[in-house]
Amino acid sequence: MEREMININANLIKEPVSTSFFKDGKESQVVNFTLAKGYGKGKEYINCAVYGDKIDVAKTFAKGDFVHVYGYFNHRMKDGKTYKNFIVQSLNKIEKKEN
């Protein structure tokens, strides 16, 4: 199944959270954060997950940072509910230009 790759520019609404989990007997690190993107009068909240060598970049982010992420949405079912998460393949902070 081919995934649709998407670019998103949005603001971090709180500090990234670093955790680890075990899968197939191996420990993996993940950094989770949420982005808020405004559309007219509404907002869309995007839950993001970063794995592998990109976690060091995500750990440097702070609440309010304007960031660019590239990746795809992952959907999973649990207890009859569908959860949507954005899997980040690349990311960087967008610096504001000084006048």
Side-chain angles (χ1 to χ4, degrees), residues 22-69:
F22 286 92
K23 184 175 182 179
D24 300 328
K26 185 178 177 186
E27 184 177 22
S28 295
Q29 300 289 319
V30 62
V31 173
N32 294 297
F33 56 88
T34 302
L35 299 175
K37 185 169 177 77
Y39 292 103
K41 294 183 179 181
K43 281 190 180 179
E44 177 183 9
Y45 295 96
I46 305 155
N47 295 318
C48 299
V50 181
Y51 302 91
D53 59 348
K54 308 284 189 280
I55 63 172
D56 291 333
V57 175
K59 288 179 181 179
T60 67
F61 292 165
K63 179 180 179 180
D65 284 349
F66 190 59
V67 299
H68 171 260
V69 294

Side-chain angles (χ1 to χ4, degrees), residues 3-20:
R3 296 182 173 121
E4 180 183 5
M5 302 302 282
I6 301 168
N7 286 294
I8 299 172
N9 294 329
N11 291 93
L12 243 65
I13 61 170
K14 60 183 177 180
E15 301 293 321
V17 177
S18 180
T19 59
S20 63

Side-chain angles (χ1 to χ4, degrees), residues 56-90:
D56 291 333
V57 175
K59 288 179 181 179
T60 67
F61 292 165
K63 179 180 179 180
D65 284 349
F66 190 59
V67 299
H68 171 260
V69 294
Y70 175 76
Y72 60 92
F73 282 104
N74 185 41
H75 297 82
R76 65 181 176 88
M77 294 285 294
K78 183 177 180 182
D79 300 328
K81 292 180 108 179
T82 300
Y83 295 90
K84 183 170 133 176
N85 200 32
F86 192 79
I87 307 300
V88 177
Q89 300 295 304
S90 67

